[in-house]
Amino acid sequence: EVRTHTGARALVKHVHCTLSSTHPDAGRILLVRPWLTYEPLACTPSHEVWTRKGWTRADALRPGDYLGVPRRKFLGTRTTLALPVLVSKGRGLRPITGEVPLDREVGFAVGHYLAEGTVSCQSTAPYHPKHVTITHHVDEQAFADRTIAACRPWMTSARTTHKAGTLTGITTLCGASLAAWFLQEFGATETKRIPEWIFEAPAEFAEGVVLGYCAGDGSKTNDSHLTITSVRARLLSQCRAVLAAR
């Protein structure tokens, strides 16, 4: 399947390859990486790309050229997301089933998790996820409380502790199904991501994700600019795509 210009998915029925072994571009592939996307466009040198100056060969592109890239739309066709089904096994594991609504507050919790969260798993087989931990500054407890409120229907308990002698707060959301949901849909540590299906969700969910991420890893400069940071280049690129969507 591929995504069309309308945002809908369509099945690929035929693939035609006309590049023969004697073609000048045979065996030569360029990677074009636009600012708005993380994954590069792989194409032959003679492939033409739409730019501000019109159609331009890929091998004639230079850093700083403006390329035409699609602005995604939020379709609103997916309004809930099911919790993973867990087999109850292990001390303290209490699976919860149901659908999580993709609204603004759940989006905030997701963004906050992407910025500040981790998932802890059981120490023995089957190593099910058991809770979500949000590490934050003590002055940002209101953000942690907002995340707790958004996730309350799908967790068993929540608590906040403070590291002695530091300004660090640790908020823990207990619930195997909720932890598995975060891990499955949004990754952990180096695999954190904004999933592709966010463009099938309502715009308010995406707005919440951006707000939650800014609450954790955002900062406002003196000239009223908002900056978000991450050690994960892919995650920042995905944030840009969400912000550019309509």
Side-chain angles (χ1 to χ4, degrees):
E1 286 188 345
V2 295
R3 191 177 297 278
T4 69
H5 66 287
T6 65
R9 294 179 181 276
L11 184 66
V12 176
K13 296 181 179 179
H14 301 285
V15 177
H16 299 280
C17 181
T18 58
L19 194 64
S20 69
S21 59
T22 58
H23 193 280
D25 287 343
R28 301 175 61 205
I29 296 295
L30 295 182
L31 297 180
V32 180
R33 192 186 301 276
W35 176 83
L36 190 59
T37 62
Y38 180 81
E39 298 297 340
L41 168 67
C43 59
T44 57
S46 62
H47 183 84
E48 292 191 333
V49 180
W50 180 252
T51 72
R52 177 176 284 182
K53 298 177 290 186
W55 291 105
T56 304
R57 284 176 53 112
D59 57 3
L61 295 175
R62 296 294 180 266
D65 285 348
Y66 287 87
L67 309 185
V69 296
R71 288 181 62 189
R72 308 290 295 275
K73 292 183 178 181
F74 297 112
L75 303 179
T77 55
R78 178 181 297 204
T79 58
T80 64
L81 196 65
L83 290 168
V85 177
L86 300 180
V87 177
S88 181
K89 183 178 181 181
R91 182 180 177 183
L93 183 63
R94 294 168 53 189
I96 298 174
T97 59
E99 298 279 333
V100 179
L102 300 179
D103 58 25
R104 188 183 184 91
E105 291 308 300
V106 170
F108 181 91
V110 168
H112 203 199
Y113 166 78
L114 290 173
E116 308 278 35
T118 58
V119 171
S120 297
C121 298
Q122 295 173 329
S123 58
T124 57
Y127 308 106
H128 280 312
K130 59 181 182 178
H131 60 247
V132 176
T133 300
I134 307 291
T135 304
H136 54 87
H137 193 281
V138 293
D139 291 342
E140 298 175 346
Q141 185 61 44
F143 297 145
D145 290 341
R146 184 173 175 179
T147 294
I148 291 173
C151 298
R152 193 173 299 282
W154 310 283
M155 64 187 191
T156 54
S157 63
R159 65 179 183 274
T160 297
T161 58
H162 297 97
K163 281 187 176 182
T166 73
L167 297 176
T168 300
I170 302 173
T171 295
T172 303
L173 286 62
C174 299
S177 298
L178 180 67
W181 185 78
F182 273 103
L183 183 61
Q184 173 180 292
E185 300 297 336
F186 308 102
T189 316
E190 296 306 317
T191 64
K192 281 185 176 179
R193 62 190 178 275
I194 297 176
E196 177 69 16
W197 58 253
I198 194 171
F199 296 104
E200 300 173 13
E204 64 171 0
F205 173 77
E207 291 170 0
V209 171
V210 173
L211 287 174
Y213 194 88
C214 290
D217 275 345
S219 60
K220 185 178 180 182
T221 62
N222 293 332
D223 56 358
S224 298
H225 284 93
L226 183 65
T227 301
I228 57 176
T229 60
S230 177
V231 297
R232 305 170 188 88
R234 182 190 298 269
L235 191 54
L236 287 178
S237 179
Q238 291 166 341
C239 282
R240 287 202 300 259
V242 170
L243 288 167
R246 49 186 173 144

